[in-house]
Amino acid sequence: MRNFDFAPLYRATVGFDRIADLMDRTLSADSVTSYPPYNIEKTAENAYRISVAVAGFSPDELSVEVKESTLHITAKKGPDTTERSYLHRGIATRAFERRFALADHVKVTGALHENGMLHIDLVRETPEALKPRRIEIATTRGADTKVLTAETVEI
């Protein structure tokens, strides 16, 4: 396994520490778990969907939270009150926690549990202040000065 030193990145940049921390966390993950399996899909220009396979879990046993730009999906199976004798048990219903780092301005719009899948919809909402604006240049003709205001431009 390779180790990367991000110290030069911290010395040469200002305000990018969140990105460096994200890379450091991703590269230093000791145990990469594949349970439960999931998909991330882009459903529109600024919309995404995370689908997590949660077979065996009811909606009451699942939790979806956003904390500090991180999406937390947790599941905890309640106690099984029925006496069962399995010949083969291949459906894992162990407790899990899955985390996804969210980019700036990405919001969770909803969650849906259907057919053993948990679908979480996200949308990126760019604030008006960050959208590109066209600035008109003022012109001067003698005593008349024409000043125009900025307008938001769709790209």
Side-chain angles (χ1 to χ4, degrees):
M1 185 83 182
R2 294 182 180 175
N3 291 329
F4 294 99
D5 182 19
F6 292 107
L9 182 64
Y10 289 125
R11 287 192 307 257
T13 61
V14 176
F16 291 95
D17 46 335
R18 182 169 177 246
I19 295 171
D21 289 341
L22 177 64
M23 288 190 300
D24 191 35
R25 239 188 349 257
T26 302
L27 293 173
S28 68
D30 294 334
S31 61
V32 177
T33 180
S34 61
Y35 179 76
Y38 65 91
N39 293 334
I40 301 175
E41 61 183 302
K42 189 170 186 174
T43 57
E45 181 66 30
N46 289 312
Y48 305 89
R49 173 174 268 192
I50 298 173
S51 299
V52 183
V54 291
F57 290 97
S58 70
D60 297 337
E61 298 166 330
L62 298 167
S63 172
V64 178
E65 295 178 341
V66 178
K67 300 177 192 172
E68 300 173 4
S69 298
T70 303
L71 174 65
H72 296 263
I73 303 170
T74 55
K76 191 175 225 180
K77 192 72 177 158
D80 192 5
T81 58
T82 61
E83 189 66 32
R84 297 181 186 185
S85 175
Y86 292 100
L87 299 178
H88 171 75
R89 188 167 184 181
I91 300 173
T93 55
R94 63 183 180 266
F96 69 85
E97 180 176 359
R98 175 69 76 176
R99 296 179 184 181
F100 297 92
L102 300 178
D104 292 336
H105 315 298
V106 172
K107 308 287 185 230
V108 175
T109 58
L112 171 68
H113 181 268
E114 69 175 349
N115 301 328
M117 299 291 288
L118 176 64
H119 301 289
I120 300 165
D121 293 318
L122 305 111
V123 66
R124 179 179 27 198
E125 298 174 343
T126 308
E128 280 296 318
L130 297 178
K131 289 183 181 177
R133 297 181 305 141
R134 181 182 319 272
I135 308 299
E136 296 293 330
I137 300 172
T139 58
T140 305
R141 289 189 191 156
D144 297 333
T145 301
K146 181 179 172 185
V147 179
L148 300 175
T149 58
E151 62 182 52
T152 302
V153 176
E154 295 294 323
I155 3 183

